[in-house]
Amino acid sequence: MSSSNDLTYMEEALVAAEESLVSDDVPVGCVIVKDGTIVGRGCNTREKDSSALGHAEINAIADACRNVGHWRLSGCTMYVTLEPCTMCAGAIVAAKIDRVVIGAKDPKAGAMGSVINVNSYPLNHKIKIEYGLCSDRCSAILTDFFSRRREENRQKKINNIHK
């Protein structure tokens, strides 16, 4: 059940997603909230950091753990613009985050219902998962990014042919 606070926090996740664009990373953003306060913030940094671990959710979890002073993030809600992958879903379970609010589903790599569902396994923690908050905007930022990237790649191929 989304509230006006949920919308506010997803807006913050969208701002974080925009930050990914500075380093030409896939625009995914994430914030983690505890008791009405943002305690963690992250965006994709795979290109910037040359690291496969540079996912928005992993960065936000690391930030939240530093700010909370503990690895356990019970009582927290994560707001993320794109459905987490298997690595991130595992980290969410390990951090014991209670609730995840997802903007856009990921039909190719989503691990919270699209391809697999982390909650369907007998793990030691279950997550409340909600989909679709700001889904159009969350999808649009990704669609625009990949359209622009495809056009840039097409132009590079054309330029290489004419050299």
Side-chain angles (χ1 to χ4, degrees):
M1 309 301 167
S2 294
S3 70
S4 62
N5 288 338
D6 285 344
L7 182 58
T8 298
Y9 297 129
M10 187 59 82
E11 295 279 349
E12 289 293 325
L14 281 159
V15 169
E18 293 279 348
E19 293 169 13
S20 299
L21 295 171
V22 173
S23 54
D24 201 33
D25 274 287
V26 176
V28 178
C30 181
V31 297
I32 298 174
V33 176
K34 183 174 180 87
D35 300 327
T37 301
I38 295 175
V39 295
R41 187 180 300 271
C43 65
N44 270 358
T45 58
R46 290 185 303 172
E47 299 297 331
K48 177 182 165 195
D49 297 341
S50 296
S51 173
L53 303 177
H55 288 216
E57 301 93 328
I58 300 296
N59 291 330
I61 289 169
D63 189 40
C65 290
R66 278 190 299 274
N67 291 326
V68 170
H70 201 276
W71 65 267
R72 187 173 309 201
L73 299 177
S74 300
C76 289
T77 297
M78 173 183 280
Y79 297 84
V80 62
T81 58
L82 181 65
E83 180 180 358
C85 68
T86 53
M87 174 180 70
C88 294
I92 292 163
V93 169
K96 303 205 180 296
I97 292 172
D98 292 336
R99 178 174 170 244
V100 177
V101 179
I102 299 165
K105 287 191 172 191
D106 186 347
K108 294 182 179 178
M112 293 194 153
S114 291
V115 177
I116 66 168
N117 186 344
V118 70
N119 275 339
S120 69
Y121 295 94
L123 302 173
N124 64 349
H125 181 69
K126 295 292 181 199
I127 304 157
K128 182 176 181 185
I129 302 169
E130 297 175 25
Y131 298 99
L133 184 62
C134 300
S135 62
D136 290 345
R137 290 177 53 213
C138 292
S139 295
I141 191 173
L142 290 161
T143 300
D144 292 348
F145 174 81
F146 285 112
S147 292
R148 192 169 51 252
R149 183 172 272 179
R150 279 190 297 277
E151 179 58 26
E152 289 167 359
N153 288 338
R154 191 179 72 74
Q155 286 300 322
K156 284 179 188 175
K157 286 179 184 175
I158 291 170
N159 290 339
N160 286 337
I161 290 171
H162 296 303
K163 282 185 177 181

